[in-house]
């Protein structure tokens, strides 16, 4: 299109010079939601990171504080009926919950991308078989499978075990998406050029294709992390989580189990909810900000 | 009588970084019954001018000055519903790539009547049918086409339906934006003739936007040349071709090859000894088929071909889309195994080459693709694409050696290495990118380069430079070139030999003097007569092609690379 060429020509002039910094700043200026989301997540990281240095997280176990106390000088955020210090629970729980999300998200994206890259690159019958399996699995409601798995292994469950259970299903969507991205890129002229330049399949996938998928993979990772946290909190709230670890989801389970609402223990109810809200809003905003990077159609060049 | 009078029209694009002056101070007039060509390379503002007249500019584009009058109506001053009322009735537009402008889910009839309904014209079923039949007849299509869906029509037919739609309300001005891009020469001629016929019938003024000077010579009365948003020349077609006033017009005209102007070339050819460099014996390709593959389609009928490295030549493979020319290229590059027959490289079957032999095959047989932008990985600087083959195919011992070879190759294709290397592909022009691709192949010191439509996506003024680069490959570096194209005019200009393919079959092969100046085969004759040479006085009559005669057996001249 004639007009579009004029615009890109103009912007090419402006893009020269120290590209990366200028481009990043320009990107942030166009996508302010990224900054807000980033700040929210940074607050949580500081809260749990610094908190663990300052506050004794052993107080997050039961019987370490006087039970069911409202906030006071000994227990800054109060305590729950089983004698956990809420502040310690929040500091440790945020870390455990986020770690579950990061591990499950990373595993899901890594395994899913590997499957997607393989299927998309080899094509043909193997691609058809893999895609068929992924498609069938995609129709299975995740929560159903998770409840079943979690119920079976529940007794000895740790938060890392949770992450593995969630990761067992988190790879499906990245696999499907990476495969379709792969199909688009595989037919690009530069892939043919790489083949004519004597590159083998591994070098083509990791040297030529993956770099172009990076923005997409980053965004995919953020989505997977927030989906994994959501799944984890959901399972834990049902009581299917690690019984001996004070994750945010388990806290919600105990809130419901021990009738915190009836007993008016607001200091127990508000903090985990506030942290979850900040966490999800932050992840959502960051992902919305990454959208332009991951979705070439939204990329504003002018 | 002046119908359309555009005065001092300017269009700016207010982008976030700067204001781009896409159209500056453009004034032009179109009379009734006149055909005006608007010519210039991409980015020259010709489409933007047309969109501004149609009031179809999208933000951030805006008309900042000027007027465009048709009678008493100022198109620039129109607002809201008045714009819609003017479209189609007063001024209508046949968009670029009109074949994609039809809705895939509606029958042709419904799409033709859409515009009428929008202009408040209520017709009975009988009247509507008569109107549609008339309009289709006006573009040389049968009335039965109205009941078909777009996917059931060929590209040329879709383009003619778009013309019929644009003419439904007998507009005063029709703007056709690159009406024949993506069409083969035979359909191209039909579409242009259809435009002429339809225009004569309703007596409107017509603006044809394009970049192909040959086509413009045959299609227009007057040509307006645009460059960087300005009009640089506005002259009757005959005068423009006889005596262009502006240097840029002259450059555009010179870039078009003409019949009989072929440079002579040396004919001293040594007989080949030993195994030929590349040999195709009964090679064919069928896609699909098999148990789960669906319908099979033969893309290439068995063909014999032999290329000797000792006898470098430029071999043009000509055919329209679907003729099997790209399949042939991919087989020769070893990207696609032949379904049947044997493809041998220096006497050895290519599918059974050992690893070092395969690297040597890759070094000696290289490629240039159609889209110079897609050929570069956008993630890397352009150096990556040039260094990769040098390092991986063992053509250069060390990185420094590779770098030297790369820079030498850039100079060989007329690029300054310091200007182009170290840049990202989007920072270079299409012409620079395509020449870098030639440099990439050249740096490997190959014996054969397969160039698949290397100039079809490059601006007209740069085409000759790139084709001359290809010619220099043969003359200065003794490299054979297989030049795949649908453009007979450039094939005639650069090749030592022409191979014409039709529907996957070999149709004619031989020296261009014979194949293009005195074609023997009915299909080649149809192709050659449809080439738009830049000669305004040439009679270019509309002949409905006799497709049945195209199935006659192939004509192969003695001494051709292709063995029939």
């Amino acid at each position: 299109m004639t007009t579009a060429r004029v615009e890109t020509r103009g912007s090419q002039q402006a893009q020269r010079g120290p590209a990366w910094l200028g481009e990043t700043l320009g990107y942030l200026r166009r996508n302010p939601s990224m900054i807000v989301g980033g700040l929210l997540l940074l607050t949580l990281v500081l809260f749990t990171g610094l908190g663990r240095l300052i506050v004794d997280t052993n107080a997050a176990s039961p019987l370490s504080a006087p039970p069911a106390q409202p906030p006071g000088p000994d227990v800054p955020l109060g305590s729950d009926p089983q004698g956990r210090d809420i502040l310690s629970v929040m500091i440790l729980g945020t870390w455990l919950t986020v770690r579950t999300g990061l591990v499950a998200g990373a595993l899901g994206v890594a395994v899913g991308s590997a499957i997607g890259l393989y299927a998309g690159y080899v094509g043909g019958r193997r691609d058809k078989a893999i895609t068929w399996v992924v498609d069938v699995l995609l129709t299975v409601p995740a929560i159903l499978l998770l409840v079943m798995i979690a119920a079976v292994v529940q007794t000895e469950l740790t938060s890392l075990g949770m992450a593995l259970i969630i990761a067992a299903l988190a790879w499906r969507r990245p696999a499907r998406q990476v495969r379709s991205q792969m199909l688009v890129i595989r037919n690009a002229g530069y892939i043919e050029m790489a083949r004519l330049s004597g590159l083998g399949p591994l070098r083509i996938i990791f040297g030529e294709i993956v770099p172009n998928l990076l923005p997409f993979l980053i965004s995919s990772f953020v989505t997977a992390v927030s989906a994994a946290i959501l799944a984890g909190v959901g399972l834990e709230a049902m009581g299917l989580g690690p019984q001996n670890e004070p994750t945010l989801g388990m806290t919600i389970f105990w809130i419901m189990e021990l009738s915190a609402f009836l007993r008016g223990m607001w200091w127990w109810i508000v903090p985990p909810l506030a942290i979850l809200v900040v966490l999800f809003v932050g992840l959502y905003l960051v992902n919305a900000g990454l959208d332009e990077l991951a979705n070439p159609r939204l990329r504003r060049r002018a | 009588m002046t119908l359309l009078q555009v005065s001092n029209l300017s269009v700016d694009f207010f982008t976030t970084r700067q204001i781009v002056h896409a159209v500056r101070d453009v004034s032009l007039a179109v009379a009734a019954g006149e055909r005006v060509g608007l010519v210039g390379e991409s980015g020259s503002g010709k489409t933007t001018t047309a969109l501004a007249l149609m009031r179809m500019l999208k933000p951030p584009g805006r008309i900042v000055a000027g007027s465009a009058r048709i009678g008493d109506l100022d198109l620039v001053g129109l607002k809201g519903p008045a714009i819609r009322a003017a479209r189609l009735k007063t001024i209508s537009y046949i968009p670029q790539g009109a074949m994609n402008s039809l809705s895939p889910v509606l029958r042709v009839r419904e799409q033709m009547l859409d515009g009428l309904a929008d202009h408040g014209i209520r017709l009975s079923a009988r009247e509507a049918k008569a109107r549609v039949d008339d309009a289709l007849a006006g573009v040389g299509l049968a009335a039965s086409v109205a009941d078909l869906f777009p996917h059931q029509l060929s590209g040329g037919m879709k383009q003619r339906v778009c013309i019929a739609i644009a003419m439904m309300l007998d507009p005063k001005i029709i703007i056709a934006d690159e009406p024949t891009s993506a069409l083969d020469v035979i359909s191209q001629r039909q579409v242009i003739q259809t435009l002429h016929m339809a225009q004569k019938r309703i007596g409107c003024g017509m603006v044809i936007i394009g970049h192909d000077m040959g086509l413009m010579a045959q299609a227009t009365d007057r040509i307006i040349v645009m460059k960087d948003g300005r009009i640089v020349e506005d002259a009757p077609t005959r005068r423009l071709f006889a005596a262009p006033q502006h240097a840029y017009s002259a450059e555009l005209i010179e870039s078009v090859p003409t019949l009989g102007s072929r440079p002579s070339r040396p004919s001293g050819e040594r007989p080949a000894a030993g195994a030929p460099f590349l040999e195709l014996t009964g090679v064919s390709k069928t896609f699909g088929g098999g148990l789960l593959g669906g319908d099979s389609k033969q893309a290439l009928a068995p063909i014999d071909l032999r290329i000797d490295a000792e006898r470098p030549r430029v071999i043009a493979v000509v055919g329209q889309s679907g003729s099997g020319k790209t399949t042939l290229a991919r087989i020769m590059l070893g990207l696609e195994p032949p379904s049947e027959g044997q493809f041998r490289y220096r006497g050895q079957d290519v599918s059974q080459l050992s690893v070092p032999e395969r690297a040597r095959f890759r070094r000696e047989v290289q490629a240039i693709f159609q889209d110079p932008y897609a050929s570069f990985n956008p993630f890397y600087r352009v150096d990556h694409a040039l260094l990769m083959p040098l390092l991986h195919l063992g053509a250069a011992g060390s990185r420094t050696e590779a770098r030297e070879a790369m820079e030498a190759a850039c100079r060989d294709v007329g690029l300054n290495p310091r200007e182009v290397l170290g840049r990202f592909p989007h920072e270079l022009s299409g012409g620079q990118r395509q020449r870098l691709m030639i440099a990439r192949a050249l740096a490997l010191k190959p014996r054969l380069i397969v160039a698949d439509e290397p100039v079809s996506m490059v601006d007209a003024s740069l085409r000759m430079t790139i084709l001359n680069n290809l010619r220099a490959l043969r003359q200065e570096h003794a490299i054979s070139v297989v030049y795949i194209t649908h453009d007979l005019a450039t094939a005639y200009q650069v090749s030592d030999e022409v191979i014409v393919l039709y529907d996957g079959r070999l149709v004619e092969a031989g020296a261009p003097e014979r194949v293009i100046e005195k074609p023997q085969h009915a299909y080649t004759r149809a192709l050659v007569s449809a080439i738009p040479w830049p000669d305004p006085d040439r009679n270019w009559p509309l002949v409905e092609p006799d497709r049945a005669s195209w199935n006659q057996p192939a004509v192969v001249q003695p001494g051709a690379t292709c063995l029939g």
Side-chain angles (χ1 to χ4, degrees):
Chain A
M1 217 182 74
T2 318
T3 52
R5 279 289 279 276
V6 176
E7 286 174 67
T8 42
R9 273 193 191 175
S11 65
Q12 280 162 27
Q13 302 291 327
Q15 268 174 20
R16 271 170 215 158
W20 288 112
L21 187 68
E23 224 155 78
T24 312
L25 287 179
Y27 189 90
L28 287 178
R29 202 175 312 133
R30 286 197 304 276
N31 298 281
S33 68
M34 190 102 166
I35 301 176
V36 180
L39 283 178
L40 288 178
L41 293 183
L42 188 69
T43 314
L44 283 187
V45 169
L46 287 179
F47 170 67
T48 179
L50 291 181
R52 285 175 55 153
L53 297 178
I54 298 165
V55 179
D56 175 20
T57 46
N58 284 331
S61 341
L63 306 177
S64 52
Q69 293 294 309
D74 291 340
V75 275
L77 282 181
S79 63
D80 75 1
Q82 293 170 328
R84 295 184 186 90
D85 175 39
I86 303 287
L87 179 63
S88 307
V89 167
M90 288 307 106
I91 287 168
L92 192 57
T94 304
W95 161 241
L96 291 173
T97 299
V98 169
R99 188 182 65 177
T100 306
L102 288 175
V103 171
L107 275 176
V109 170
V111 173
S113 309
I115 292 172
L117 286 173
Y118 178 75
Y121 190 81
V122 296
R125 224 168 283 169
R126 278 171 288 181
D127 175 37
K128 268 189 188 144
I130 292 171
T131 313
W132 185 81
V133 171
V134 174
D135 281 349
V136 168
L137 282 179
L138 268 174
T139 62
V140 178
I143 200 76
L144 179 75
L145 272 183
L146 292 179
V147 166
M148 280 161 56
I149 301 173
V152 171
V153 293
Q154 197 192 0
T155 38
E156 295 301 314
L157 199 58
T158 63
S159 63
L160 275 182
M162 283 285 300
L164 292 180
I165 292 175
I166 295 162
L169 285 173
W171 57 274
R172 300 171 302 172
R173 204 163 288 280
R176 196 80 171 82
Q177 289 170 336
V178 167
R179 174 185 167 271
S180 58
Q181 296 277 326
M182 183 81 177
L183 290 184
V184 175
I185 295 184
R186 194 178 60 161
N187 291 323
Y190 58 85
I191 301 303
E192 301 260 87
M193 274 296 163
R195 281 176 72 190
L196 287 176
S197 303
L199 267 63
L202 280 181
R203 268 188 193 266
I204 290 182
I205 292 179
F206 291 102
E208 303 288 318
I209 294 175
V210 169
N212 286 293
L213 282 179
L214 271 184
F216 176 80
L217 290 177
I218 292 170
S219 157
S220 209
F221 173 69
V222 177
T223 314
V225 168
S226 63
I229 293 177
L230 189 64
V233 170
L235 281 183
E236 289 163 1
M238 281 188 278
L240 295 169
Q243 303 292 322
N244 301 323
E245 287 178 64
T247 64
L248 294 179
M250 284 315 292
T251 310
I252 289 175
F253 169 71
W254 289 120
I255 286 172
M256 296 190 294
E257 188 78 2
L258 301 177
S259 322
F261 282 93
L262 282 178
R263 295 159 77 174
M265 296 170 68
W266 55 268
W267 62 89
W268 194 18
I269 299 166
V270 172
L273 293 184
I275 288 174
L276 283 174
V277 167
V278 170
L279 182 59
F280 281 118
V281 170
L283 282 170
Y284 169 77
L285 287 177
V286 166
N287 207 13
L290 284 172
D291 208 23
E292 184 194 323
L293 195 69
N295 192 343
R297 262 172 302 177
L298 293 177
R299 228 171 273 176
R300 280 162 278 187
R301 294 187 168 229
Chain B
M1 186 192 78
T2 302
L3 255 183
L4 170 70
Q5 177 71 53
V6 178
S7 318
N8 310 100
L9 185 76
S10 295
V11 176
D12 284 355
F13 280 81
F14 295 86
T15 68
T16 47
R17 288 173 200 233
Q18 71 205 104
I19 297 171
V20 179
H21 306 288
V23 175
R24 309 183 212 193
D25 211 19
V26 161
S27 300
L28 56 95
V30 181
E34 194 184 21
R35 294 191 294 264
V36 176
L38 203 53
V39 183
E41 56 196 45
S42 49
S44 63
K46 49 195 198 310
T47 295
T48 311
T49 306
L51 291 177
L53 294 180
M54 290 305 294
R55 300 296 308 278
M56 276 160 56
L57 276 181
K58 289 197 188 94
R62 219 185 314 146
I63 301 174
V64 289
S67 68
R69 297 192 164 277
I70 296 179
D72 295 333
L73 194 71
D74 184 4
L75 295 171
V76 174
L78 291 180
K79 286 195 171 60
I83 298 177
R84 277 178 68 186
R87 285 180 194 154
L88 209 60
K89 192 158 175 54
T90 316
I91 181 165
S92 74
Y93 180 65
I94 304 169
Q96 212 164 17
M99 30 226 320
N100 303 323
S101 316
L102 296 171
S103 163
V105 296
L106 292 178
R107 286 174 205 279
V108 166
R109 176 191 313 286
E110 287 147 3
Q111 307 197 39
M112 293 181 74
L113 291 171
D114 247 6
L116 297 190
D118 196 54
H119 281 80
I121 298 168
R122 297 275 168 273
L123 297 173
S124 69
R126 185 189 298 265
E127 284 168 333
K129 183 173 172 2
R131 192 104 182 225
V132 168
D133 290 354
D134 267 1
L136 286 175
V139 293
L141 289 175
S144 58
V145 169
D147 293 316
L148 298 179
F149 287 99
H151 69 265
Q152 294 168 305
L153 306 176
S154 73
M157 286 163 94
K158 276 187 255 187
Q159 188 70 45
R160 281 147 90 178
V161 167
C162 286
I163 296 173
I165 292 175
M167 302 218 162
M168 281 302 269
L169 287 171
D170 298 352
K172 297 198 174 100
I173 294 286
I174 293 178
I175 302 174
D177 193 352
E178 307 250 9
T180 62
S181 59
L183 294 181
D184 60 272
V185 280
I186 292 173
S187 322
Q188 167 175 300
R189 177 164 70 164
Q190 279 180 319
V191 165
I192 291 293
Q193 300 296 341
T194 308
L195 272 175
H196 286 193
M197 263 163 39
Q199 185 209 14
K200 271 204 193 102
R201 194 166 51 88
I202 64 173
C204 61
M206 180 174 291
V207 178
I208 302 175
I209 298 176
H211 62 266
D212 182 345
M213 289 302 274
L215 185 68
M216 285 295 160
Q218 320 267 270
T220 61
D221 306 319
R222 193 152 61 82
I223 292 181
I224 296 171
V225 182
M226 286 189 78
K227 185 172 169 44
D228 298 333
R230 286 180 207 283
I231 292 181
V232 296
E233 188 157 4
D234 180 349
T237 305
R238 201 155 289 151
R239 219 221 61 213
L240 188 84
F241 277 92
Q245 302 292 309
H246 193 277
Y248 182 65
S249 318
E251 193 187 318
L252 277 182
I253 292 168
E254 269 164 31
S255 72
V256 186
T258 50
L259 201 60
S261 69
R262 265 178 90 248
S264 59
R265 52 183 62 93
S267 56
E269 284 164 357
R270 283 151 285 165
F277 178 64
L278 282 188
E279 189 178 24
L280 277 70
T281 324
V283 161
S284 72
K285 183 75 192 177
T286 307
F287 288 108
L291 194 57
L292 298 165
D295 291 341
S296 68
K297 159 107 179 69
Q298 191 172 50
L300 190 66
I303 192 168
D304 292 344
L305 213 118
R306 177 191 166 109
I307 292 171
D308 292 313
E310 295 79 21
R311 198 174 67 149
R313 359 186 47 193
V314 178
I315 303 157
V317 179
V318 181
Q320 52 196 53
S321 46
S323 63
K325 58 189 195 305
T326 297
T327 308
L328 179 63
R330 293 178 58 85
I331 290 174
M332 291 175 82
L333 287 169
L335 288 174
E336 201 89 66
S339 304
E340 264 163 45
Q342 276 211 313
F343 173 32
R344 274 188 295 261
Y345 159 71
R346 295 192 184 275
Q348 267 189 300
D349 197 309
V350 168
S351 60
Q352 275 145 30
L353 291 177
S354 66
V355 173
E357 281 167 340
R358 197 158 186 84
R360 185 169 173 221
F361 168 71
R362 282 267 177 265
R363 265 204 318 274
E364 295 200 323
V365 181
Q366 270 299 327
I368 299 161
F369 291 138
Q370 178 172 17
D371 184 348
Y373 188 68
S375 299
F376 288 94
N377 192 334
F379 188 80
Y380 297 107
R381 291 170 205 280
V382 292
D383 309 30
H384 175 79
L386 276 83
L387 287 174
M388 204 166 45
L390 284 168
L391 296 172
H392 287 284
L393 294 173
S398 66
R399 231 161 213 288
T400 18
E401 214 174 286
R403 195 149 267 288
E404 276 159 21
M406 169 172 82
E407 286 173 5
C410 285
R411 280 190 289 270
D412 275 339
V413 296
L415 290 172
N416 179 354
R418 250 179 299 168
E419 243 170 54
V420 291
L421 297 177
R423 298 286 192 85
F424 281 98
H426 71 261
E427 296 176 328
L428 300 175
S429 75
Q432 283 174 319
R433 289 193 285 249
Q434 199 57 301
R435 282 154 89 183
L436 269 178
M437 273 293 130
I438 298 176
R440 172 195 169 279
L442 187 59
L444 290 167
K445 305 199 181 353
R447 305 265 39 100
L448 172 73
I449 292 180
V450 179
D452 190 356
E453 306 255 10
V455 294
S456 69
M457 295 180 82
V458 174
D459 282 328
S461 54
L462 286 168
R463 282 188 188 171
M464 268 302 147
T465 324
I466 287 171
L467 290 175
N468 287 336
N469 280 157
L470 285 183
R471 279 263 294 281
L473 291 178
R474 181 185 75 95
Q475 280 159 2
E476 287 156 30
H477 303 273
I479 297 170
S480 289
V481 177
V482 173
Y483 171 50
I484 311 257
T485 184
H486 64 270
D487 181 0
L488 276 101
T490 55
Y492 174 75
Q493 197 75 12
V494 301
S495 66
D496 304 306
E497 185 177 335
V498 178
I499 296 172
V500 184
L501 295 179
Y502 167 64
D503 198 20
R505 285 179 300 113
L506 171 72
V507 158
E508 190 157 356
E513 290 86 358
R514 299 281 295 276
V515 175
I516 294 180
E517 287 175 23
K518 300 179 211 69
Q520 304 291 310
H521 194 279
Y523 175 69
T524 324
R525 274 203 297 275
L527 269 187
V528 169
S529 74
I531 304 175
W533 298 108
D535 172 10
D537 295 318
R538 176 167 172 247
N539 184 23
W540 206 43
L542 175 62
V543 201
E544 201 60 41
D546 172 19
R547 287 171 198 271
S549 68
W550 295 352
N551 291 323
Q552 76 184 65
V555 182
V556 178
Q557 284 163 22
T561 301
C562 220
L563 307 168

